[in-house]
Amino acid sequence: MKNNNGVTSIFALGGLGEVGKNMYVIEYANELVIIDAGVIFPEDGLLGVDYVIQDVTYLKQNENKIKALIITHGHEDHIGGISFLLQKVNIPVIYASRIALDLITKKLDDKNIGYKNLELYDENTVIKFKNIKVDFIRTTHSIPDSYAIVVRTPNGTIVHTGDFKFDLTPIGPMADIHKMARLGDEGVKLLLTESTNALSPGFSASEAIVDEALGDVFAKATSNRIILATFASNIYRIKHIVETCRQNNRKIITFGRSMKNSIEIATKNGLIKDTSILIDINQAKDLKKSEICILCTGSQGEPLAALSRIANGTDKQVQLMPDDIIVFSSNPIPGNSASINRVINKLYLKGVKVYTNSELSDIHTSGHAKAEELKWMIRLIKPEYVMPIHGEYRMLKEHTNLAISCGVLEENTFICKNGDVLIMDDKGVHRGKSVQAGDVYVDGSRVGDIGSIVIKDRKIMSNDGVLVTILNIDSEKHELLIKPNITTRGFVLVNENADLIKEIENKVAEIVNKTLSNNKYNIIDIKNQVILELNMFIDEKTGRRPMILPVIMEVKK
């Protein structure tokens, strides 16, 4: 492609400084390509928030330039934001690989979004726009049909690795290492490469090792029921769990909607061939415990997931037995360790045996490249410039160190934040002017109207509770008709703190009568004064600062 002296802009709207919420943009002239549209699950402090997605203001402002959304693979942190994106921005076409396309279709159907422009790609697909050309390289990950994306611009070639690992004995097809090497020989200007496991030395274990370890667990459990929790999105893991159960004469009962969806998609695409092994809970009544495997969600300790319900004893269909074996075929996602430990402790209290991944038991391996594999990718692609993506800042920093150790010049590495722009032109790659980027909170069906003030209020309510004071005011005589009524939730028990409540009632009456003595008062003045003075009074008495909500009813006699 001939360079017409334009520049190529590269930036992230999500995925930098965080593990998840991936969205990357490559723009040349009047053409803009988006790579991935994921979500991130909220930390504990984001009370009531279901998902965090990208601020797509820039995309909305440049909607006429958008040519396509291209998906690297079907994990939630790469496709979970598509339904929200489509409601905000016109996306002409979405390109996705086989499994990802099925997962996206299911997701859009569930939300009643009638988007029809979904196109399938594979390793032989080439997408051509006026100035930009896109092709694909098969990679290995924990979900089938994962790809690196090659974007060829007039200013040079950009490679986005997607999520990947190098597994020489994978469950599915091998990564196309030869195509990577050929591309490296052709010349790559900029590599955007994932950093999730940049801090982990060595190579990740092969899925074949996990297959063997799980096989050992099943072989030893000759008289036990097995309950196995894993990521529903780890379709390769589900595939070899099915095969292990078949080899050990066990039937599988699935729990969790996402798990059922994944098995349905895996079966549709031929990854699971023996569907007779899948039964419902009623069919299990005639089977021995040694002939049953319950495959469920909840490996991250999610409160409403199947395994948490089973551990709590609240699941209506599955009750724990003392000789059950519970297998966590997963590692904790950062931030989830406390939730997982709570579930494991509950399971131990029930007397069951629990297997988790450890140095002694390889029942899980990551789908993300560790340090030596990241070096291997850099050596194969041989980029002139490197921008680590998909990771917290410590991961991005370590990944730049790995790139430098592989011969990339330090000044040719970029640790960026969401919204930071790299400009690729005839002179190379350098930083440009930033674009708007940030977090948007999703709370049920509400998108974007949950701001920092709302989150702050929720934190106050969760920590110190709420105090409501109801005031009946004679608007003509400017006086309280009856003493203030105090109601609290999460602050103190009213019955056990009668003296404190009485003091608060008296203090509110004092504040209101003082304010009412000014003939120019208004309702807002009364509310503000009650909140201001009562906050200080309660803080002095209790050391707590509940949210104070004055409710005022004006009465005319």
Side-chain angles (χ1 to χ4, degrees), residues 23 154 170 186 285 389 462 477:
M23 180 180 282
E186 291 172 15
K285 293 176 182 177
I389 59 171
S462 70
K477 294 185 177 180

Side-chain angles (χ1 to χ4, degrees), residues 12 36 158 257 303 310 389 392 442 464 495 502 533 540:
D36 288 339
I158 302 165
R257 184 180 180 189
I310 293 169
I389 59 171
E392 298 171 4
V442 179
D464 292 332
N495 294 338
K502 184 71 175 175
E533 293 191 39
E540 185 179 324

Side-chain angles (χ1 to χ4, degrees), residues 22-76:
N22 291 282
M23 180 180 282
Y24 307 91
V25 176
I26 297 173
E27 181 181 357
Y28 179 87
N30 63 345
E31 294 180 341
L32 184 154
V33 172
I34 308 164
I35 298 176
D36 288 339
V39 297
I40 194 169
F41 295 101
E43 297 176 350
D44 291 341
L46 295 176
L47 302 172
V49 174
D50 298 316
Y51 308 105
V52 183
I53 58 176
Q54 308 82 3
D55 180 342
V56 293
T57 301
Y58 184 87
L59 298 181
K60 186 64 181 174
Q61 292 170 346
N62 294 272
E63 202 169 38
N64 62 316
K65 295 183 180 182
I66 298 172
K67 295 302 176 185
L69 167 64
I70 303 173
I71 301 300
T72 57
H73 65 284
H75 280 157
E76 279 294 293

Side-chain angles (χ1 to χ4, degrees), residues 154-201:
N155 301 111
T157 298
I158 302 165
V159 175
H160 182 298
T161 65
D163 291 359
F164 75 96
K165 67 184 287 186
F166 287 113
D167 189 341
L168 302 182
T169 53
I171 298 298
M174 272 279 295
D176 195 340
I177 297 170
H178 303 292
K179 192 170 184 178
M180 294 175 189
R182 287 196 302 271
L183 186 62
D185 289 340
E186 291 172 15
V188 172
K189 196 71 165 258
L190 176 64
L191 176 65
L192 310 182
T193 175
E194 76 127 326
S195 310
T196 315
N197 273 345
L199 295 166
S200 301

Side-chain angles (χ1 to χ4, degrees), residues 127-186:
I127 305 168
K128 294 181 179 179
F129 305 109
K130 182 179 178 182
N131 297 295
I132 295 173
K133 186 168 75 171
V134 180
D135 53 282
F136 305 90
I137 307 174
R138 182 179 289 279
T139 57
T140 301
H141 190 40
S142 54
I143 190 170
D145 302 325
S146 298
Y147 288 87
I149 297 175
V150 183
V151 182
R152 303 175 191 270
T153 78
N155 301 111
T157 298
I158 302 165
V159 175
H160 182 298
T161 65
D163 291 359
F164 75 96
K165 67 184 287 186
F166 287 113
D167 189 341
L168 302 182
T169 53
I171 298 298
M174 272 279 295
D176 195 340
I177 297 170
H178 303 292
K179 192 170 184 178
M180 294 175 189
R182 287 196 302 271
L183 186 62
D185 289 340
E186 291 172 15

Side-chain angles (χ1 to χ4, degrees), residues 157-159 183-185 187-193 374-387 403 406-409 412-413:
T157 298
I158 302 165
V159 175
L183 186 62
D185 289 340
V188 172
K189 196 71 165 258
L190 176 64
L191 176 65
L192 310 182
T193 175
L374 296 175
K375 291 180 186 177
W376 193 2
M377 178 64 80
I378 292 166
R379 290 295 190 186
L380 284 168
I381 299 297
K382 294 183 277 195
E384 188 176 349
Y385 298 87
V386 171
M387 172 182 163
C406 290
V408 179
L409 297 176
N412 288 3
T413 63

Side-chain angles (χ1 to χ4, degrees), residues 32 51 53 85 163 185 313 321 343 407 417 428 433 477 488 531 536:
L32 184 154
Y51 308 105
I53 58 176
L85 178 64
D163 291 359
D185 289 340
M321 302 177 188
V343 173
K417 302 187 299 292
K433 186 178 178 181
K477 294 185 177 180
T488 76
I531 292 169
M536 293 187 289

